[in-house]
Amino acid sequence: MFHALQMHFYDKALRDKEVALKACRESLALGHFEALLDELKLASMRHLKQHLQKLPRPSERFDAENYKKQFDAFLQRFPILGSSTHSIVNSLAPGTILDYVIIDEASLQDIVPGILPLGCAKNLIVVGDNRQLAHIPVTLGVPAPAEAYDCERYSLLDSCIGVFQETLPRTLLKEHYRCHPRIIQFCNQQFYDNALVPMTEDKGENPMRLVITAKGNHARQNTNQRELDSLLKVLEAEGDPVGVDRDGRGFIAPFRNQVDLSGTHLPVDFVKDTVHKFQGRECDEIVFSTVLDRKRYNQTPQRLAFVDDPRMINVAVSRAKRCFTLVTGDEVFTEHNRHIAALMRYITYYAPDDQVVRAPVVSAFDLLYREFDQSLARLDARLRPEDSRYKSEQIVAQLLREALADPSCQALIVHDQVKLDQLASPSNTEWTPRERALMARASCDFVIYFKVGKTPVGVIEVDGGSHDRPDQIERDGVKNGILAKVEIPILRLRTVESRIEERIGEFIAQWASPAPDA
């Protein structure tokens, strides 16, 4: 009964809104709104061009050497100048006072260089948004004369507000012209108390997408390979990007390491940078990778507060003009229940089901985690604890058994924990002392041999989280070098990677026998 009443209420409210919207559109059509707007734009542009055309043509020619000597004439010819806050004083003739100085992105501006333009301005306009990312302060170690001048805490925008307080006239630029209405509406609701007025048009597109990686802890060293693999899987299924023009596609993340990793995986047309570096920029399509997983280290208040900072999320979402994709982990931010959790709920509510993609990539190594995708249950049941004390090696051992069971691989056999000096002869005089020392104690996880002749043909190594340590990276490099010298190829499988079965199959296929003729 109550549900039926609720549905009746919403149906009636929706019909009323549709009637009101239709009336507004008819009123605009009767008044020829679109034609009048186009006429106004055209007339405004003509007026500007006529004004510029009437300006006297100076006879002087300016260059970097002489423009300051004729600065009044230079300003007559070029009445609007562009400069950074650092260089404006050196860019003007000595003693020049400009009518207006406009400082943009003032929330990113340090106080000290930001003060420099104030000395050459009659009027100052400070443009910024303290709901977006603040500047990254430089530690000066110099006490501030008052709190509002604290360079290590406040941006130029914050300082101006703190100094002048209510005497400073403020104007909120409400009209928003960049993002699709559905995209900016999240920021509007979450950060601006619905004060923004989207001026773009919703033509029925699907501008938001959510990609949730498979269960498990996939982050390492401020990178998340699985988020990149999942994004690539979605992009492959999507085909060529739709609605992407000259502003292209962008990939952003909170950490530089993830941005660097994306450079080796994503298509070259993606512009890749951190969220901080992307402030003030825009793309037709933006992908935001959150990187963190559910490991205790990544669930600390400091780590969560950095990634789930409201200013970070506001900037990340509002960089997208036509399409925004959030790539994140399963239940990583749910308990924190702040801005990323709200963004996930928003996309899930408004996006169609096919734009919410869960676990597009599942790896055999996901069995290392307490929770894993149920598609791996059969493989988990086939693992043999006697293969190794490490479950990662149990997984690879089972996948190798299954791959070598193929008739084309009957000539191959695999052995585990083979000493390195059994593959490379220690009597070789070309080994360096470091290589000899490693050969004496190191072993290889799996070695593939030809059954006949016992010739080693390939090595497979399983690299867990310890292989990201500098000392282990050095040892792995030495081992790779030894195997390269004896011409034995090596396949390294990192436990955060995917496509494990395919990669093992591709690796051993180079020694498989060709299928017999039918």
PDB file of all heavy atoms in Angstrom, residues 211-232:
ATOM      1  N   VAL A 211      34.331   1.175 -12.760  1.00  0.00           N
ATOM      2  CA  VAL A 211      35.029  -0.102 -12.941  1.00  0.00           C
ATOM      3  C   VAL A 211      35.572  -0.523 -11.577  1.00  0.00           C
ATOM      4  O   VAL A 211      36.406   0.179 -10.994  1.00  0.00           O
ATOM      5  CB  VAL A 211      36.173   0.011 -13.961  1.00  0.00           C
ATOM      6  CG1 VAL A 211      36.884  -1.330 -14.114  1.00  0.00           C
ATOM      7  CG2 VAL A 211      35.644   0.492 -15.317  1.00  0.00           C
ATOM      8  N   ILE A 212      35.086  -1.647 -11.062  1.00  0.00           N
ATOM      9  CA  ILE A 212      35.499  -2.153  -9.752  1.00  0.00           C
ATOM     10  C   ILE A 212      36.345  -3.402  -9.973  1.00  0.00           C
ATOM     11  O   ILE A 212      35.893  -4.364 -10.610  1.00  0.00           O
ATOM     12  CB  ILE A 212      34.287  -2.478  -8.877  1.00  0.00           C
ATOM     13  CG1 ILE A 212      33.402  -1.231  -8.694  1.00  0.00           C
ATOM     14  CG2 ILE A 212      34.724  -3.010  -7.520  1.00  0.00           C
ATOM     15  CD1 ILE A 212      32.108  -1.490  -7.949  1.00  0.00           C
ATOM     16  N   THR A 213      37.562  -3.400  -9.463  1.00  0.00           N
ATOM     17  CA  THR A 213      38.459  -4.536  -9.668  1.00  0.00           C
ATOM     18  C   THR A 213      38.013  -5.732  -8.829  1.00  0.00           C
ATOM     19  O   THR A 213      37.236  -5.612  -7.882  1.00  0.00           O
ATOM     20  CB  THR A 213      39.902  -4.167  -9.297  1.00  0.00           C
ATOM     21  OG1 THR A 213      39.958  -3.773  -7.914  1.00  0.00           O
ATOM     22  CG2 THR A 213      40.407  -3.028 -10.154  1.00  0.00           C
ATOM     23  N   ALA A 214      38.533  -6.909  -9.185  1.00  0.00           N
ATOM     24  CA  ALA A 214      38.215  -8.130  -8.453  1.00  0.00           C
ATOM     25  C   ALA A 214      38.704  -8.026  -7.011  1.00  0.00           C
ATOM     26  O   ALA A 214      39.622  -7.263  -6.699  1.00  0.00           O
ATOM     27  CB  ALA A 214      38.858  -9.329  -9.150  1.00  0.00           C
ATOM     28  N   LYS A 215      38.089  -8.803  -6.148  1.00  0.00           N
ATOM     29  CA  LYS A 215      38.486  -8.794  -4.738  1.00  0.00           C
ATOM     30  C   LYS A 215      39.960  -9.132  -4.609  1.00  0.00           C
ATOM     31  O   LYS A 215      40.494  -9.938  -5.352  1.00  0.00           O
ATOM     32  CB  LYS A 215      37.651  -9.814  -3.952  1.00  0.00           C
ATOM     33  CG  LYS A 215      36.165  -9.483  -3.865  1.00  0.00           C
ATOM     34  CD  LYS A 215      35.420 -10.544  -3.099  1.00  0.00           C
ATOM     35  CE  LYS A 215      33.922 -10.253  -3.051  1.00  0.00           C
ATOM     36  NZ  LYS A 215      33.619  -9.033  -2.287  1.00  0.00           N
ATOM     37  N   GLY A 216      40.608  -8.528  -3.619  1.00  0.00           N
ATOM     38  CA  GLY A 216      42.028  -8.779  -3.388  1.00  0.00           C
ATOM     39  C   GLY A 216      42.803  -7.489  -3.229  1.00  0.00           C
ATOM     40  O   GLY A 216      42.310  -6.408  -3.564  1.00  0.00           O
ATOM     41  N   ASN A 217      44.021  -7.617  -2.724  1.00  0.00           N
ATOM     42  CA  ASN A 217      44.882  -6.458  -2.486  1.00  0.00           C
ATOM     43  C   ASN A 217      45.918  -6.369  -3.603  1.00  0.00           C
ATOM     44  O   ASN A 217      46.913  -7.092  -3.608  1.00  0.00           O
ATOM     45  CB  ASN A 217      45.561  -6.572  -1.120  1.00  0.00           C
ATOM     46  CG  ASN A 217      44.560  -6.507   0.015  1.00  0.00           C
ATOM     47  OD1 ASN A 217      43.589  -5.759  -0.058  1.00  0.00           O
ATOM     48  ND2 ASN A 217      44.776  -7.305   1.054  1.00  0.00           N
ATOM     49  N   HIS A 218      45.660  -5.490  -4.540  1.00  0.00           N
ATOM     50  CA  HIS A 218      46.459  -5.443  -5.773  1.00  0.00           C
ATOM     51  C   HIS A 218      47.460  -4.292  -5.814  1.00  0.00           C
ATOM     52  O   HIS A 218      48.153  -4.125  -6.817  1.00  0.00           O
ATOM     53  CB  HIS A 218      45.517  -5.340  -6.980  1.00  0.00           C
ATOM     54  CG  HIS A 218      44.420  -6.353  -6.983  1.00  0.00           C
ATOM     55  ND1 HIS A 218      44.651  -7.702  -7.053  1.00  0.00           N
ATOM     56  CD2 HIS A 218      43.066  -6.209  -6.904  1.00  0.00           C
ATOM     57  CE1 HIS A 218      43.492  -8.357  -7.031  1.00  0.00           C
ATOM     58  NE2 HIS A 218      42.515  -7.464  -6.935  1.00  0.00           N
ATOM     59  N   ALA A 219      47.524  -3.476  -4.776  1.00  0.00           N
ATOM     60  CA  ALA A 219      48.409  -2.300  -4.794  1.00  0.00           C
ATOM     61  C   ALA A 219      49.800  -2.665  -4.305  1.00  0.00           C
ATOM     62  O   ALA A 219      49.970  -3.477  -3.387  1.00  0.00           O
ATOM     63  CB  ALA A 219      47.826  -1.195  -3.921  1.00  0.00           C
ATOM     64  N   ARG A 220      50.793  -2.041  -4.940  1.00  0.00           N
ATOM     65  CA  ARG A 220      52.188  -2.160  -4.522  1.00  0.00           C
ATOM     66  C   ARG A 220      52.899  -0.851  -4.801  1.00  0.00           C
ATOM     67  O   ARG A 220      52.802  -0.327  -5.920  1.00  0.00           O
ATOM     68  CB  ARG A 220      52.920  -3.261  -5.301  1.00  0.00           C
ATOM     69  CG  ARG A 220      52.703  -4.670  -4.816  1.00  0.00           C
ATOM     70  CD  ARG A 220      53.728  -5.564  -5.487  1.00  0.00           C
ATOM     71  NE  ARG A 220      53.428  -6.977  -5.341  1.00  0.00           N
ATOM     72  CZ  ARG A 220      54.097  -7.934  -5.958  1.00  0.00           C
ATOM     73  NH1 ARG A 220      55.089  -7.624  -6.765  1.00  0.00           N
ATOM     74  NH2 ARG A 220      53.787  -9.200  -5.784  1.00  0.00           N
ATOM     75  N   GLN A 221      53.621  -0.363  -3.805  1.00  0.00           N
ATOM     76  CA  GLN A 221      54.492   0.801  -4.018  1.00  0.00           C
ATOM     77  C   GLN A 221      53.766   1.946  -4.730  1.00  0.00           C
ATOM     78  O   GLN A 221      54.261   2.525  -5.687  1.00  0.00           O
ATOM     79  CB  GLN A 221      55.730   0.388  -4.819  1.00  0.00           C
ATOM     80  CG  GLN A 221      56.531  -0.749  -4.219  1.00  0.00           C
ATOM     81  CD  GLN A 221      57.290  -0.332  -2.977  1.00  0.00           C
ATOM     82  OE1 GLN A 221      57.862   0.747  -2.937  1.00  0.00           O
ATOM     83  NE2 GLN A 221      57.283  -1.167  -1.961  1.00  0.00           N
ATOM     84  N   ASN A 222      52.566   2.258  -4.259  1.00  0.00           N
ATOM     85  CA  ASN A 222      51.755   3.338  -4.852  1.00  0.00           C
ATOM     86  C   ASN A 222      51.392   3.085  -6.314  1.00  0.00           C
ATOM     87  O   ASN A 222      51.192   4.028  -7.094  1.00  0.00           O
ATOM     88  CB  ASN A 222      52.453   4.700  -4.715  1.00  0.00           C
ATOM     89  CG  ASN A 222      52.457   5.196  -3.281  1.00  0.00           C
ATOM     90  OD1 ASN A 222      51.667   4.739  -2.460  1.00  0.00           O
ATOM     91  ND2 ASN A 222      53.350   6.117  -2.979  1.00  0.00           N
ATOM     92  N   THR A 223      51.310   1.806  -6.686  1.00  0.00           N
ATOM     93  CA  THR A 223      50.818   1.434  -8.013  1.00  0.00           C
ATOM     94  C   THR A 223      49.737   0.380  -7.843  1.00  0.00           C
ATOM     95  O   THR A 223      49.658  -0.287  -6.804  1.00  0.00           O
ATOM     96  CB  THR A 223      51.922   0.861  -8.927  1.00  0.00           C
ATOM     97  OG1 THR A 223      52.373  -0.406  -8.392  1.00  0.00           O
ATOM     98  CG2 THR A 223      53.091   1.815  -9.028  1.00  0.00           C
ATOM     99  N   ASN A 224      48.912   0.219  -8.863  1.00  0.00           N
ATOM    100  CA  ASN A 224      47.884  -0.818  -8.848  1.00  0.00           C
ATOM    101  C   ASN A 224      47.726  -1.342 -10.270  1.00  0.00           C
ATOM    102  O   ASN A 224      46.998  -0.782 -11.087  1.00  0.00           O
ATOM    103  CB  ASN A 224      46.556  -0.267  -8.325  1.00  0.00           C
ATOM    104  CG  ASN A 224      45.564  -1.362  -7.989  1.00  0.00           C
ATOM    105  OD1 ASN A 224      45.364  -2.298  -8.762  1.00  0.00           O
ATOM    106  ND2 ASN A 224      44.929  -1.256  -6.827  1.00  0.00           N
ATOM    107  N   GLN A 225      48.468  -2.411 -10.526  1.00  0.00           N
ATOM    108  CA  GLN A 225      48.458  -3.021 -11.860  1.00  0.00           C
ATOM    109  C   GLN A 225      47.066  -3.501 -12.258  1.00  0.00           C
ATOM    110  O   GLN A 225      46.646  -3.367 -13.415  1.00  0.00           O
ATOM    111  CB  GLN A 225      49.426  -4.201 -11.879  1.00  0.00           C
ATOM    112  CG  GLN A 225      49.445  -4.992 -13.174  1.00  0.00           C
ATOM    113  CD  GLN A 225      50.228  -4.303 -14.257  1.00  0.00           C
ATOM    114  OE1 GLN A 225      51.349  -3.879 -14.041  1.00  0.00           O
ATOM    115  NE2 GLN A 225      49.649  -4.167 -15.434  1.00  0.00           N
ATOM    116  N   ARG A 226      46.310  -4.022 -11.290  1.00  0.00           N
ATOM    117  CA  ARG A 226      45.005  -4.574 -11.620  1.00  0.00           C
ATOM    118  C   ARG A 226      44.037  -3.497 -12.103  1.00  0.00           C
ATOM    119  O   ARG A 226      43.191  -3.754 -12.962  1.00  0.00           O
ATOM    120  CB  ARG A 226      44.412  -5.294 -10.414  1.00  0.00           C
ATOM    121  CG  ARG A 226      43.077  -5.998 -10.684  1.00  0.00           C
ATOM    122  CD  ARG A 226      43.212  -7.099 -11.755  1.00  0.00           C
ATOM    123  NE  ARG A 226      44.174  -8.073 -11.359  1.00  0.00           N
ATOM    124  CZ  ARG A 226      43.908  -9.100 -10.554  1.00  0.00           C
ATOM    125  NH1 ARG A 226      42.684  -9.287 -10.101  1.00  0.00           N
ATOM    126  NH2 ARG A 226      44.857  -9.958 -10.240  1.00  0.00           N
ATOM    127  N   GLU A 227      44.144  -2.305 -11.541  1.00  0.00           N
ATOM    128  CA  GLU A 227      43.260  -1.234 -12.022  1.00  0.00           C
ATOM    129  C   GLU A 227      43.563  -0.898 -13.478  1.00  0.00           C
ATOM    130  O   GLU A 227      42.651  -0.651 -14.267  1.00  0.00           O
ATOM    131  CB  GLU A 227      43.406  -0.003 -11.126  1.00  0.00           C
ATOM    132  CG  GLU A 227      42.813  -0.213  -9.734  1.00  0.00           C
ATOM    133  CD  GLU A 227      42.757   1.047  -8.900  1.00  0.00           C
ATOM    134  OE1 GLU A 227      43.176   2.122  -9.398  1.00  0.00           O
ATOM    135  OE2 GLU A 227      42.290   0.979  -7.745  1.00  0.00           O
ATOM    136  N   LEU A 228      44.833  -0.940 -13.862  1.00  0.00           N
ATOM    137  CA  LEU A 228      45.194  -0.689 -15.255  1.00  0.00           C
ATOM    138  C   LEU A 228      44.729  -1.833 -16.153  1.00  0.00           C
ATOM    139  O   LEU A 228      44.200  -1.604 -17.247  1.00  0.00           O
ATOM    140  CB  LEU A 228      46.702  -0.485 -15.378  1.00  0.00           C
ATOM    141  CG  LEU A 228      47.260   0.777 -14.720  1.00  0.00           C
ATOM    142  CD1 LEU A 228      48.782   0.768 -14.763  1.00  0.00           C
ATOM    143  CD2 LEU A 228      46.728   2.027 -15.391  1.00  0.00           C
ATOM    144  N   ASP A 229      44.931  -3.073 -15.705  1.00  0.00           N
ATOM    145  CA  ASP A 229      44.487  -4.229 -16.492  1.00  0.00           C
ATOM    146  C   ASP A 229      42.969  -4.203 -16.686  1.00  0.00           C
ATOM    147  O   ASP A 229      42.454  -4.505 -17.767  1.00  0.00           O
ATOM    148  CB  ASP A 229      44.894  -5.528 -15.797  1.00  0.00           C
ATOM    149  CG  ASP A 229      46.403  -5.762 -15.827  1.00  0.00           C
ATOM    150  OD1 ASP A 229      47.090  -5.093 -16.630  1.00  0.00           O
ATOM    151  OD2 ASP A 229      46.881  -6.604 -15.051  1.00  0.00           O
ATOM    152  N   SER A 230      42.247  -3.846 -15.610  1.00  0.00           N
ATOM    153  CA  SER A 230      40.782  -3.803 -15.697  1.00  0.00           C
ATOM    154  C   SER A 230      40.333  -2.715 -16.654  1.00  0.00           C
ATOM    155  O   SER A 230      39.400  -2.909 -17.452  1.00  0.00           O
ATOM    156  CB  SER A 230      40.193  -3.573 -14.307  1.00  0.00           C
ATOM    157  OG  SER A 230      40.541  -4.623 -13.422  1.00  0.00           O
ATOM    158  N   LEU A 231      40.991  -1.559 -16.588  1.00  0.00           N
ATOM    159  CA  LEU A 231      40.653  -0.472 -17.510  1.00  0.00           C
ATOM    160  C   LEU A 231      40.911  -0.888 -18.953  1.00  0.00           C
ATOM    161  O   LEU A 231      40.069  -0.642 -19.839  1.00  0.00           O
ATOM    162  CB  LEU A 231      41.472   0.771 -17.158  1.00  0.00           C
ATOM    163  CG  LEU A 231      41.367   1.953 -18.133  1.00  0.00           C
ATOM    164  CD1 LEU A 231      39.934   2.464 -18.221  1.00  0.00           C
ATOM    165  CD2 LEU A 231      42.312   3.076 -17.719  1.00  0.00           C
ATOM    166  N   LEU A 232      42.044  -1.525 -19.202  1.00  0.00           N
ATOM    167  CA  LEU A 232      42.357  -1.954 -20.566  1.00  0.00           C
ATOM    168  C   LEU A 232      41.324  -2.960 -21.082  1.00  0.00           C
ATOM    169  O   LEU A 232      40.941  -2.910 -22.253  1.00  0.00           O
ATOM    170  CB  LEU A 232      43.753  -2.577 -20.601  1.00  0.00           C
ATOM    171  CG  LEU A 232      44.922  -1.583 -20.571  1.00  0.00           C
ATOM    172  CD1 LEU A 232      46.244  -2.312 -20.376  1.00  0.00           C
ATOM    173  CD2 LEU A 232      44.955  -0.770 -21.864  1.00  0.00           C
TER     174      LEU A 232
END
